[in-house]
C-alpha cells in the first residue's frame, strides 16, 4: 500500500512556492512530475496543497496575496513579482501608513496595505514600539507627537528617515523633504524630554498638562498637550523634493514604486507609440517587432568571447517586468543611455527560449527626448488615394536613412469632436522633425511637432 504523505509533511516554503508559481499548471503536469522519478506520494501531497492554494487565490484574492507578500517580505525580488501579480489582478497596493500599517501586509478596504516589516531600515523592535504607542494612545498627530511617544532607543534617526521617505508620514504631512529637515531638531527635542521623564524631572508645562497660552486651562489636557507638540522646534520651510527624486528614494526603501510610478505621467501618450506592454510579451510570436516604454531597473555589462561589450537589462513598465538583451552592435550606439532609473522607449524583437520571452533591443531613446510629427487629416484626405500618395512621397523623402530616422509620424484624423490617431510604420519615420514639418506644410498638410512627455 502506498503511504500518502499528509499536508503536514510539506514545508511552508513548498506551499508558497508551488501554490503560487505553479498554480493550476502544477496540477496539469502532476503526472509528468511523478513519472520523472518524483515520488508519487509526494506528488499527491503537493497536488493537494496546490489545489488548496489555487482555491484561496481564486476565492480570497486579497487575503491570499497579502499572506503571500508577508511570507516573502524579506525577498525583494519575490515581493516585486507578487506586487506585479496584484496589479494584474486589479488589486491596489497602498504605501505604508504610520497610523494604519501593521507588521505584515494587510487587506484593507479592497486594497492591500504595505507592511512595516517590508520597509528597509525598520527593525522589529522599532515596529513593536510604534504599534505599542499607537495602540495605547491612538493615532499619531505629528512628527513631534510620534517622536515623543515611541521608544527612541528602538526607533532611531535612520528608521525615522526611512519611514518619512517611503511615504509612511504622508497622511500627516506630504512634504517629505520638510519632515526630514524637521527631524534633526524634533528628534533631539524628543530625546531631551525622554531623559527628563526618565530622571523624574519633567517639564513644568508637562506636569500641568501644557502651557498657559491664552484660552487654555489646566483642566483642558488635550489642548495643552497639543500646545506642547506645536511648540516643538521646526526647520525653516523648504519645498518638497521633485516627484522623480521622491519616487527614487521610495524605491530604494521598498524595492519598487508604490505611491506612484514614473511612467504614469506618459501612459496615455506612450500608447500611441507603444501599444504593447511587457505583460503581453509572452503572447507575441518569435521575431515579432515591438516598441515599449520602460523604466531601466538594472544594467549588467557583459564581455563576449570576442571581447565586445554588451548588456543584459532588467526593465519594467506599469504592468510587469522583463529582461532585455543589448548585443554589441546596438550597445555601441546606445550604451550612454543605459543608466538605472532612466525612462526609455525601446524598439526590438521577441526572442523565445525555454518558454520564456525576452526582448532583443535594437534601438533606444530617452522618453524626454522623443518627439512626434503630427499630421492632421480630414476624413476625405485620409481616404483619398491621391492625398495618401502625396503624403507618402513627402515622408519618404525625409526618411531615406533608416538608422537616423527616429522621429515617429502620427496621423490625426478629425471628424467633428472625434479624433483618431494612426501610427505610421517605421519606414515612414523621419530624420529631422523641423525639415519634415516644413516639407509637410509646404505640401499643404497641417503638421506640427509634439513631445511624448507633453500632457
Amino acid at each position: 500500500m502506498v503511504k500518502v504523505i499528509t499536508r503536514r509533511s510539506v514545508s511552508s516554503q513548498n506551499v508558497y512556492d508551488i501554490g503560487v508559481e505553479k498554480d493550476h499548471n502544477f496540477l496539469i503536469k502532476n503526472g509528468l512530475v511523478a513519472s520523472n522519478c518524483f515520488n508519487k506520494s509526494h506528488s499527491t501531497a503537493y497536488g493537494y496543497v496546490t489545489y488548496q492554494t489555487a482555491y484561496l487565490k481564486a476565492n480570497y484574492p486579497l487575503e491570499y496575496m497579502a499572506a503571500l507578500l508577508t511570507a516573502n517580505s524579506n525577498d525583494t525580488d519575490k515581493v516585486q513579482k507578487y506586487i506585479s501579480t496584484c496589479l494584474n489582478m486589479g488589486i491596489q497596493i497602498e504605501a505604508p501608513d504610520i497610523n494604519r500599517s501593521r507588521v505584515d501586509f494587510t487587506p484593507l478596504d479592497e486594497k492591500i496595505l504595505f507592511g512595516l516589516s517590508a520597509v528597509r531600515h525598520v527593525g522589529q523592535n522599532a515596529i513593536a514600539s510604534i504599534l505599542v504607542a499607537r495602540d495605547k494612545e491612538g493615532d499619531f498627530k505629528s512628527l513631534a507627537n510620534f517622536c515623543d511617544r515611541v521608544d527612541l532607543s528602538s526607533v532611531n534617526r535612520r528608521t525615522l528617515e526611512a519611514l518619512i521617505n517611503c511615504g509612511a508620514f504622508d497622511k500627516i504631512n506630504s512634504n517629505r523633504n520638510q519632515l526630514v529637515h524637521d527631524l534633526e531638531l524634533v528628534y533631539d527635542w524628543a530625546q531631551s524630554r525622554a531623559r527628563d521623564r526618565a530622571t523624574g524631572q519633567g517639564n513644568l508645562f508637562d506636569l500641568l498638562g501644557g502651557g498657559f497660552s491664552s484660552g487654555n486651562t489646566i483642566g483642558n489636557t488635550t489642548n495643552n498637550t497639543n500646545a506642547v507638540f506645536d511648540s516643538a522646534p521646526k526647520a525653516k520651510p523648504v519645498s518638497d523634493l521633485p516627484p522623480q527624486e521622491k519616487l527614487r528614494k521610495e524605491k530604494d526603501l521598498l524595492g519598487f514604486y508604490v505611491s506612484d510610478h514614473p511612467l504614469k505621467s506618459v501612459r496615455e501618450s506612450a500608447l500611441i507609440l507603444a501599444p504593447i506592454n511587457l505583460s503581453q510579451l509572452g503572447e507575441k510570436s518569435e521575431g515579432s517587432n515591438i516598441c515599449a516604454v520602460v523604466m531601466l531597473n538594472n544594467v549588467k555589462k557583459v564581455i563576449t568571447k570576442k571581447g565586445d561589450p554588451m548588456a543584459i537589462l532588467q526593465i519594467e513598465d506599469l504592468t510587469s517586468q522583463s529582461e532585455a538583451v543589448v548585443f554589441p552592435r546596438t550597445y555601441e550606439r546606445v550604451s550612454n543611455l543605459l543608466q538605472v532609473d532612466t525612462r526609455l522607449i525601446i524598439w526590438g524583437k521577441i526572442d523565445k527560449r525555454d518558454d520564456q520571452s525576452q526582448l532583443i533591443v535594437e534601438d533606444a531613446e530617452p522618453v524626454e527626448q522623443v518627439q512626434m510629427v503630427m499630421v492632421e487629416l480630414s476624413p476625405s484626405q485620409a481616404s483619398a488615394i491621391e492625398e495618401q500618395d502625396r503624403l507618402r512621397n513627402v515622408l519618404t523623402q525625409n526618411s531615406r536613412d533608416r538608422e537616423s530616422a527616429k522621429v515617429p509620424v502620427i496621423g490625426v484624423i478629425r471628424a467633428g469632436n472625434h479624433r483618431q490617431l494612426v501610427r505610421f510604420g517605421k519606414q515612414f519615420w523621419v530624420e529631422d522633425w523641423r525639415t519634415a514639418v516644413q516639407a509637410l506644410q509646404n505640401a499643404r498638410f497641417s503638421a506640427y511637432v509634439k513631445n511624448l512627455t507633453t500632457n
Side-chain angles (χ1 to χ4, degrees):
M1 180 168 62
V2 178
K3 179 182 179 182
V4 178
I5 297 180
T6 64
R7 188 156 74 104
R8 291 182 181 177
S9 304
V10 184
S11 69
S12 59
Q13 185 61 46
N14 285 332
V15 170
Y16 287 113
D17 285 348
I18 294 173
V20 175
E21 297 178 7
K22 302 299 182 184
D23 262 2
H24 303 89
N25 290 332
F26 185 84
L27 288 174
I28 295 171
K29 296 180 180 178
N30 194 30
L32 289 175
V33 173
S35 65
N36 261 337
C37 301
F38 192 83
N39 190 298
K40 287 189 176 183
S41 62
H42 288 200
S43 294
T44 302
Y46 290 167
Y48 180 57
V49 170
T50 301
Y51 169 79
Q52 290 181 314
T53 54
Y55 175 85
L56 291 173
K57 183 177 181 181
N59 293 277
Y60 301 95
L62 273 175
E63 292 78 5
Y64 177 82
M65 294 307 297
L68 188 61
L69 287 165
T70 296
N72 294 278
S73 59
N74 61 344
D75 188 329
T76 301
D77 291 338
K78 283 192 173 183
V79 169
Q80 191 165 5
K81 181 176 69 174
Y82 298 146
I83 284 183
S84 178
T85 300
C86 287
L87 296 178
N88 291 335
M89 294 168 64
I91 299 173
Q92 184 178 340
I93 308 295
E94 283 206 338
D97 185 339
I98 202 66
N99 281 324
R100 296 191 301 160
S101 292
R102 301 200 71 82
V103 178
D104 301 328
F105 288 84
T106 309
L108 185 67
D109 299 330
E110 301 302 318
K111 301 174 184 177
I112 294 179
L113 187 60
F114 214 94
L116 295 176
S117 61
V119 181
R120 291 176 186 170
H121 312 315
V122 180
Q124 293 299 320
N125 290 338
I127 296 173
S129 175
I130 292 169
L131 296 182
V132 166
R134 194 173 75 195
D135 292 342
K136 183 178 179 181
E137 298 181 44
D139 288 354
F140 301 107
K141 306 299 182 183
S142 64
L143 180 62
N145 178 262
F146 178 91
C147 291
D148 191 64
R149 288 166 54 187
V150 301
D151 180 3
L152 296 181
S153 64
S154 299
V155 185
N156 57 33
R157 294 175 193 262
R158 189 185 189 192
T159 297
L160 266 166
E161 193 166 334
L163 289 169
I164 291 170
N165 282 321
C166 77
F169 280 89
D170 279 4
K171 296 288 177 62
I172 293 174
N173 185 346
S174 61
N175 188 335
R176 299 179 190 178
N177 195 30
Q178 183 68 58
L179 288 176
V180 169
H181 279 74
D182 290 345
L183 178 60
E184 293 300 317
L185 300 172
V186 171
Y187 195 88
D188 291 338
W189 170 84
Q191 277 188 322
S192 176
R193 285 171 56 84
R195 284 193 296 268
D196 288 345
R197 286 194 296 267
T199 57
Q201 296 179 19
N203 182 290
L204 175 60
F205 295 104
D206 292 339
L207 297 174
L208 296 175
F212 291 102
S213 59
S214 177
N216 284 351
T217 63
I218 294 178
N220 193 344
T221 306
T222 300
N223 286 345
N224 293 335
T225 302
N226 288 338
V228 171
F229 297 128
D230 289 341
S231 66
K234 293 182 180 179
K236 293 181 179 179
V238 294
S239 57
D240 204 356
L241 297 171
Q244 296 293 333
E245 180 66 11
K246 289 177 72 172
L247 289 177
R248 186 191 65 77
K249 289 177 176 288
E250 185 178 295
K251 186 178 181 182
D252 286 343
L253 292 164
L254 304 179
F256 24 77
Y257 305 107
V258 177
S259 64
D260 201 354
H261 197 286
L263 296 180
K264 278 187 178 180
S265 60
V266 297
R267 175 171 51 188
E268 296 300 324
S269 54
L271 286 174
I272 302 172
L273 296 181
I276 300 300
N277 55 53
L278 296 184
S279 66
Q280 297 171 313
L281 292 186
E283 303 170 10
K284 296 297 174 181
S285 58
E286 174 88 17
S288 296
N289 291 305
I290 75 154
C291 174
V293 176
V294 303
M295 282 292 297
L296 192 52
N297 288 339
N298 189 45
V299 180
K300 181 180 179 182
K301 187 176 178 180
V302 179
I303 304 298
T304 67
K305 292 181 179 179
K306 294 182 179 181
D308 299 322
M310 58 175 288
I312 298 175
L313 313 179
Q314 295 297 324
I315 57 178
E316 73 168 86
D317 64 6
L318 293 171
T319 65
S320 186
Q321 299 179 24
S322 185
E323 183 178 271
V325 179
V326 186
F327 286 122
R329 183 179 174 183
T330 305
Y331 183 83
E332 183 179 357
R333 189 170 67 253
V334 304
S335 59
N336 61 313
L337 305 179
L338 304 182
Q339 305 294 328
V340 173
D341 291 335
T342 299
R343 298 188 297 178
L344 293 177
I345 180 168
I346 57 177
W347 295 271
K349 290 185 177 180
I350 297 294
D351 179 55
K352 290 185 178 289
R353 293 186 181 181
D354 301 326
D355 295 327
Q356 296 294 321
S357 297
Q358 65 178 6
L359 182 61
I360 307 300
V361 177
E362 296 180 334
D363 206 351
E365 191 169 353
V367 164
E368 292 77 13
Q369 296 179 16
V370 176
Q371 293 176 311
M372 303 175 289
V373 171
M374 313 296 287
V375 185
E376 292 198 358
L377 304 167
S378 66
S380 59
Q381 278 182 303
S383 58
I385 300 299
E386 297 82 2
E387 292 295 292
Q388 292 178 15
D389 287 340
R390 285 201 316 115
L391 180 57
R392 182 185 296 108
N393 290 335
V394 175
L395 295 178
T396 301
Q397 291 173 8
N398 286 272
S399 58
R400 291 172 180 171
D401 187 347
R402 296 288 177 84
E403 291 293 330
S404 302
K406 293 185 177 181
V407 182
V409 180
I410 309 296
V412 183
I413 304 173
R414 294 186 180 275
N417 294 327
H418 180 68
R419 187 181 75 156
Q420 182 177 351
L421 301 179
V422 179
R423 186 178 64 257
F424 284 68
K426 198 170 182 181
Q427 68 271 28
F428 297 114
W429 290 15
V430 298
E431 299 170 43
D432 182 81
W433 68 265
R434 296 176 185 84
T435 304
V437 168
Q438 187 62 55
L440 286 164
Q441 290 176 348
N442 290 341
R444 301 188 306 279
F445 288 105
S446 176
Y448 56 93
V449 70
K450 179 181 179 182
N451 291 331
L452 182 64
T453 53
T454 303
N455 292 329

PDB file of all heavy atoms in Angstrom, residues 216-235:
ATOM      1  N   ASN A 216      -6.282  78.580  27.254  1.00  0.00           N
ATOM      2  CA  ASN A 216      -6.084  77.244  27.797  1.00  0.00           C
ATOM      3  C   ASN A 216      -6.388  77.249  29.285  1.00  0.00           C
ATOM      4  O   ASN A 216      -6.236  78.251  29.969  1.00  0.00           O
ATOM      5  CB  ASN A 216      -4.633  76.784  27.595  1.00  0.00           C
ATOM      6  CG  ASN A 216      -4.371  76.372  26.153  1.00  0.00           C
ATOM      7  OD1 ASN A 216      -5.310  76.275  25.375  1.00  0.00           O
ATOM      8  ND2 ASN A 216      -3.101  76.163  25.834  1.00  0.00           N
ATOM      9  N   THR A 217      -6.812  76.114  29.763  1.00  0.00           N
ATOM     10  CA  THR A 217      -6.994  75.934  31.203  1.00  0.00           C
ATOM     11  C   THR A 217      -6.239  74.700  31.622  1.00  0.00           C
ATOM     12  O   THR A 217      -5.933  73.833  30.809  1.00  0.00           O
ATOM     13  CB  THR A 217      -8.476  75.746  31.557  1.00  0.00           C
ATOM     14  OG1 THR A 217      -8.944  74.557  30.927  1.00  0.00           O
ATOM     15  CG2 THR A 217      -9.301  76.922  31.071  1.00  0.00           C
ATOM     16  N   ILE A 218      -5.951  74.618  32.909  1.00  0.00           N
ATOM     17  CA  ILE A 218      -5.202  73.466  33.408  1.00  0.00           C
ATOM     18  C   ILE A 218      -5.965  72.186  33.148  1.00  0.00           C
ATOM     19  O   ILE A 218      -5.403  71.146  32.868  1.00  0.00           O
ATOM     20  CB  ILE A 218      -4.903  73.643  34.926  1.00  0.00           C
ATOM     21  CG1 ILE A 218      -3.958  74.820  35.126  1.00  0.00           C
ATOM     22  CG2 ILE A 218      -4.335  72.377  35.511  1.00  0.00           C
ATOM     23  CD1 ILE A 218      -3.631  75.112  36.570  1.00  0.00           C
ATOM     24  N   GLY A 219      -7.279  72.244  33.204  1.00  0.00           N
ATOM     25  CA  GLY A 219      -8.064  71.033  33.006  1.00  0.00           C
ATOM     26  C   GLY A 219      -8.193  70.619  31.552  1.00  0.00           C
ATOM     27  O   GLY A 219      -8.589  69.501  31.259  1.00  0.00           O
ATOM     28  N   ASN A 220      -7.883  71.496  30.628  1.00  0.00           N
ATOM     29  CA  ASN A 220      -8.023  71.173  29.213  1.00  0.00           C
ATOM     30  C   ASN A 220      -6.765  70.462  28.737  1.00  0.00           C
ATOM     31  O   ASN A 220      -5.900  71.028  28.089  1.00  0.00           O
ATOM     32  CB  ASN A 220      -8.244  72.451  28.403  1.00  0.00           C
ATOM     33  CG  ASN A 220      -8.717  72.125  26.992  1.00  0.00           C
ATOM     34  OD1 ASN A 220      -8.606  71.000  26.543  1.00  0.00           O
ATOM     35  ND2 ASN A 220      -9.235  73.146  26.320  1.00  0.00           N
ATOM     36  N   THR A 221      -6.661  69.178  29.055  1.00  0.00           N
ATOM     37  CA  THR A 221      -5.449  68.412  28.804  1.00  0.00           C
ATOM     38  C   THR A 221      -5.156  68.278  27.319  1.00  0.00           C
ATOM     39  O   THR A 221      -4.014  68.378  26.888  1.00  0.00           O
ATOM     40  CB  THR A 221      -5.566  67.003  29.433  1.00  0.00           C
ATOM     41  OG1 THR A 221      -5.892  67.146  30.796  1.00  0.00           O
ATOM     42  CG2 THR A 221      -4.262  66.243  29.279  1.00  0.00           C
ATOM     43  N   THR A 222      -6.191  68.058  26.526  1.00  0.00           N
ATOM     44  CA  THR A 222      -5.992  67.850  25.083  1.00  0.00           C
ATOM     45  C   THR A 222      -5.361  69.066  24.439  1.00  0.00           C
ATOM     46  O   THR A 222      -4.372  68.972  23.716  1.00  0.00           O
ATOM     47  CB  THR A 222      -7.324  67.537  24.395  1.00  0.00           C
ATOM     48  OG1 THR A 222      -7.871  66.353  24.964  1.00  0.00           O
ATOM     49  CG2 THR A 222      -7.120  67.327  22.902  1.00  0.00           C
ATOM     50  N   ASN A 223      -5.927  70.250  24.704  1.00  0.00           N
ATOM     51  CA  ASN A 223      -5.378  71.469  24.120  1.00  0.00           C
ATOM     52  C   ASN A 223      -3.966  71.733  24.605  1.00  0.00           C
ATOM     53  O   ASN A 223      -3.105  72.174  23.855  1.00  0.00           O
ATOM     54  CB  ASN A 223      -6.266  72.660  24.442  1.00  0.00           C
ATOM     55  CG  ASN A 223      -7.557  72.642  23.632  1.00  0.00           C
ATOM     56  OD1 ASN A 223      -7.661  71.912  22.660  1.00  0.00           O
ATOM     57  ND2 ASN A 223      -8.520  73.439  24.055  1.00  0.00           N
ATOM     58  N   ASN A 224      -3.743  71.475  25.908  1.00  0.00           N
ATOM     59  CA  ASN A 224      -2.422  71.720  26.476  1.00  0.00           C
ATOM     60  C   ASN A 224      -1.387  70.771  25.893  1.00  0.00           C
ATOM     61  O   ASN A 224      -0.254  71.160  25.613  1.00  0.00           O
ATOM     62  CB  ASN A 224      -2.465  71.561  28.002  1.00  0.00           C
ATOM     63  CG  ASN A 224      -3.303  72.653  28.648  1.00  0.00           C
ATOM     64  OD1 ASN A 224      -3.456  73.734  28.087  1.00  0.00           O
ATOM     65  ND2 ASN A 224      -3.846  72.369  29.823  1.00  0.00           N
ATOM     66  N   THR A 225      -1.783  69.531  25.718  1.00  0.00           N
ATOM     67  CA  THR A 225      -0.864  68.552  25.140  1.00  0.00           C
ATOM     68  C   THR A 225      -0.528  68.921  23.711  1.00  0.00           C
ATOM     69  O   THR A 225       0.629  68.850  23.282  1.00  0.00           O
ATOM     70  CB  THR A 225      -1.487  67.140  25.177  1.00  0.00           C
ATOM     71  OG1 THR A 225      -1.790  66.803  26.522  1.00  0.00           O
ATOM     72  CG2 THR A 225      -0.526  66.115  24.605  1.00  0.00           C
ATOM     73  N   ASN A 226      -1.531  69.337  22.951  1.00  0.00           N
ATOM     74  CA  ASN A 226      -1.299  69.751  21.572  1.00  0.00           C
ATOM     75  C   ASN A 226      -0.361  70.951  21.526  1.00  0.00           C
ATOM     76  O   ASN A 226       0.472  71.070  20.626  1.00  0.00           O
ATOM     77  CB  ASN A 226      -2.608  70.095  20.875  1.00  0.00           C
ATOM     78  CG  ASN A 226      -3.444  68.858  20.585  1.00  0.00           C
ATOM     79  OD1 ASN A 226      -2.905  67.753  20.518  1.00  0.00           O
ATOM     80  ND2 ASN A 226      -4.735  69.050  20.425  1.00  0.00           N
ATOM     81  N   ALA A 227      -0.503  71.856  22.521  1.00  0.00           N
ATOM     82  CA  ALA A 227       0.349  73.037  22.563  1.00  0.00           C
ATOM     83  C   ALA A 227       1.804  72.650  22.752  1.00  0.00           C
ATOM     84  O   ALA A 227       2.709  73.284  22.200  1.00  0.00           O
ATOM     85  CB  ALA A 227      -0.103  73.971  23.690  1.00  0.00           C
ATOM     86  N   VAL A 228       2.052  71.591  23.529  1.00  0.00           N
ATOM     87  CA  VAL A 228       3.421  71.116  23.738  1.00  0.00           C
ATOM     88  C   VAL A 228       4.029  70.684  22.416  1.00  0.00           C
ATOM     89  O   VAL A 228       5.152  71.046  22.070  1.00  0.00           O
ATOM     90  CB  VAL A 228       3.444  69.949  24.744  1.00  0.00           C
ATOM     91  CG1 VAL A 228       4.834  69.312  24.791  1.00  0.00           C
ATOM     92  CG2 VAL A 228       3.041  70.436  26.123  1.00  0.00           C
ATOM     93  N   PHE A 229       3.279  69.886  21.636  1.00  0.00           N
ATOM     94  CA  PHE A 229       3.809  69.391  20.361  1.00  0.00           C
ATOM     95  C   PHE A 229       3.893  70.501  19.326  1.00  0.00           C
ATOM     96  O   PHE A 229       4.792  70.503  18.481  1.00  0.00           O
ATOM     97  CB  PHE A 229       2.941  68.241  19.852  1.00  0.00           C
ATOM     98  CG  PHE A 229       2.935  67.048  20.770  1.00  0.00           C
ATOM     99  CD1 PHE A 229       1.744  66.485  21.207  1.00  0.00           C
ATOM    100  CD2 PHE A 229       4.128  66.495  21.217  1.00  0.00           C
ATOM    101  CE1 PHE A 229       1.743  65.396  22.057  1.00  0.00           C
ATOM    102  CE2 PHE A 229       4.140  65.409  22.072  1.00  0.00           C
ATOM    103  CZ  PHE A 229       2.943  64.854  22.497  1.00  0.00           C
ATOM    104  N   ASP A 230       2.974  71.450  19.391  1.00  0.00           N
ATOM    105  CA  ASP A 230       3.028  72.573  18.456  1.00  0.00           C
ATOM    106  C   ASP A 230       4.252  73.439  18.706  1.00  0.00           C
ATOM    107  O   ASP A 230       4.752  74.108  17.788  1.00  0.00           O
ATOM    108  CB  ASP A 230       1.767  73.434  18.570  1.00  0.00           C
ATOM    109  CG  ASP A 230       0.538  72.724  18.005  1.00  0.00           C
ATOM    110  OD1 ASP A 230       0.714  71.760  17.232  1.00  0.00           O
ATOM    111  OD2 ASP A 230      -0.588  73.136  18.360  1.00  0.00           O
ATOM    112  N   SER A 231       4.717  73.436  19.950  1.00  0.00           N
ATOM    113  CA  SER A 231       5.880  74.266  20.299  1.00  0.00           C
ATOM    114  C   SER A 231       7.201  73.562  19.998  1.00  0.00           C
ATOM    115  O   SER A 231       8.268  74.130  20.219  1.00  0.00           O
ATOM    116  CB  SER A 231       5.839  74.635  21.792  1.00  0.00           C
ATOM    117  OG  SER A 231       6.012  73.469  22.591  1.00  0.00           O
ATOM    118  N   ALA A 232       7.151  72.332  19.517  1.00  0.00           N
ATOM    119  CA  ALA A 232       8.381  71.611  19.176  1.00  0.00           C
ATOM    120  C   ALA A 232       9.129  72.359  18.084  1.00  0.00           C
ATOM    121  O   ALA A 232       8.520  72.963  17.198  1.00  0.00           O
ATOM    122  CB  ALA A 232       8.033  70.198  18.703  1.00  0.00           C
ATOM    123  N   PRO A 233      10.458  72.348  18.134  1.00  0.00           N
ATOM    124  CA  PRO A 233      11.238  73.101  17.134  1.00  0.00           C
ATOM    125  C   PRO A 233      11.047  72.547  15.724  1.00  0.00           C
ATOM    126  O   PRO A 233      10.838  71.345  15.533  1.00  0.00           O
ATOM    127  CB  PRO A 233      12.683  72.903  17.606  1.00  0.00           C
ATOM    128  CG  PRO A 233      12.656  71.637  18.400  1.00  0.00           C
ATOM    129  CD  PRO A 233      11.318  71.594  19.078  1.00  0.00           C
ATOM    130  N   LYS A 234      11.074  73.441  14.748  1.00  0.00           N
ATOM    131  CA  LYS A 234      10.932  73.044  13.350  1.00  0.00           C
ATOM    132  C   LYS A 234      11.966  73.775  12.506  1.00  0.00           C
ATOM    133  O   LYS A 234      12.405  74.870  12.844  1.00  0.00           O
ATOM    134  CB  LYS A 234       9.521  73.371  12.830  1.00  0.00           C
ATOM    135  CG  LYS A 234       8.423  72.557  13.477  1.00  0.00           C
ATOM    136  CD  LYS A 234       7.064  72.907  12.884  1.00  0.00           C
ATOM    137  CE  LYS A 234       5.954  72.090  13.531  1.00  0.00           C
ATOM    138  NZ  LYS A 234       4.617  72.434  12.966  1.00  0.00           N
ATOM    139  N   ALA A 235      12.338  73.155  11.410  1.00  0.00           N
ATOM    140  CA  ALA A 235      13.275  73.786  10.486  1.00  0.00           C
ATOM    141  C   ALA A 235      12.558  74.847   9.660  1.00  0.00           C
ATOM    142  O   ALA A 235      11.328  74.918   9.630  1.00  0.00           O
ATOM    143  CB  ALA A 235      13.888  72.729   9.570  1.00  0.00           C
TER     144      ALA A 235
END
